[in-house]
Amino acid sequence: MTDDISLVALSGLGPDRAAEVRALVRDVPDYPHPPVVFRDITPLLADGGAFGDVIEAFADLAEAHGGIDVVAGMEARGFLLGAPLATRLGVGFVPLRKAGKLPPPVERVDYELEYGSASIELRTGTLRPGSRVLLVDDVLATGGTARAAATLVERCGAVVAGLAFLLELAGLGGRERLAGRTVDTLLRAES
């Protein structure tokens, strides 16, 4: 994999530390099936210093967006990054769940994936109209889930202040699917 460490998003870490953080994202070839390369963030999460650095880098991005009211994490790894970020920012955290995981009433957006369809839900009334929301997840790949999450937040009357990802797989076109939105990533890989 060829990496391009984003110096904008990780400028506070410096290029050496950014490379150390990237090294903690384990590449698992052919998982769950060939030719997919799964990006395992477990080693990064297990390293307290690196995990803290990532949360601080996300906080810097959030502060650049000005006035975030809520962090929303996409199931499931977005929860692992979004909840500590919300705590760091002193704002609330909202989980965006897969269909059927929340008690009613819920708002729901159905969307297509490259291998089928899915749905994402949010408990009705969780977001206040006009709230500025930062959407967080671990990987931006094709952008389908992220686009559905943004649609869901806006359907609830809130404003998507930005979308932030630990790693962007640039070759899969997710950023293009989110055209017109503010998208930030800490690390970038071609695929």
Side-chain angles (χ1 to χ4, degrees), residues 41 50 72 74 103 112 138 143 162:
I41 67 169
M74 293 172 250
E112 295 301 315
D138 65 329

Side-chain angles (χ1 to χ4, degrees), residues 3-4 31 44 76 80 88 90 93 96 104 106 109 155 161-162 173 177 181 187:
D3 285 337
D4 172 22
Y31 181 79
L44 187 150
L80 301 173
R88 162 63 180 78
F93 174 76
L96 303 179
V106 297
V109 170
R155 187 176 290 168
R177 249 182 135 172
R181 299 188 181 279
L187 300 170

Side-chain angles (χ1 to χ4, degrees), residues 41 71-84 93 136-138:
I41 67 169
V71 173
M74 293 172 250
E75 190 163 339
R77 291 176 294 195
F79 300 173
L80 301 173
L81 299 168
F93 174 76
V136 176
D137 206 358
D138 65 329

Side-chain angles (χ1 to χ4, degrees), residues 1-169:
M1 178 176 87
T2 303
D3 285 337
D4 172 22
I5 305 297
S6 171
L7 297 178
V8 174
L10 294 176
S11 62
L13 297 181
D16 291 341
R17 183 60 176 152
E20 291 171 9
V21 170
R22 164 57 187 108
L24 292 169
V25 178
R26 185 173 72 108
D27 298 339
V28 183
D30 299 329
Y31 181 79
H33 54 76
V36 174
V37 177
F38 183 79
R39 312 301 176 171
D40 180 12
I41 67 169
T42 305
L44 187 150
L45 297 172
D47 184 305
F51 190 24
D53 286 344
V54 164
I55 298 306
E56 283 304 313
F58 275 132
D60 290 345
L61 291 174
E63 289 166 4
H65 293 299
I68 300 298
D69 299 311
V70 175
V71 173
M74 293 172 250
E75 190 163 339
R77 291 176 294 195
F79 300 173
L80 301 173
L81 299 168
L85 175 59
T87 299
R88 162 63 180 78
L89 296 173
V91 300
F93 174 76
V94 172
L96 303 179
R97 303 293 313 264
K98 294 176 183 174
K101 301 288 185 178
L102 292 171
V106 297
E107 300 296 326
R108 176 182 177 143
V109 170
D110 300 317
Y111 61 102
E112 295 301 315
L113 298 166
E114 59 276 11
Y115 50 84
S117 61
S119 301
I120 192 166
E121 296 179 339
L122 172 62
R123 175 86 166 76
T124 302
T126 302
L127 292 175
R128 287 186 221 163
S131 296
R132 293 180 45 79
V133 178
L134 179 65
L135 288 164
V136 176
D137 206 358
D138 65 329
V139 175
L140 172 59
T142 63
T145 302
R147 188 166 72 177
T151 300
L152 180 60
V153 165
E154 290 167 345
R155 187 176 290 168
C156 292
V159 175
V160 176
L163 295 99
F165 302 89
L166 174 61
L167 176 66
E168 177 181 0
L169 304 178

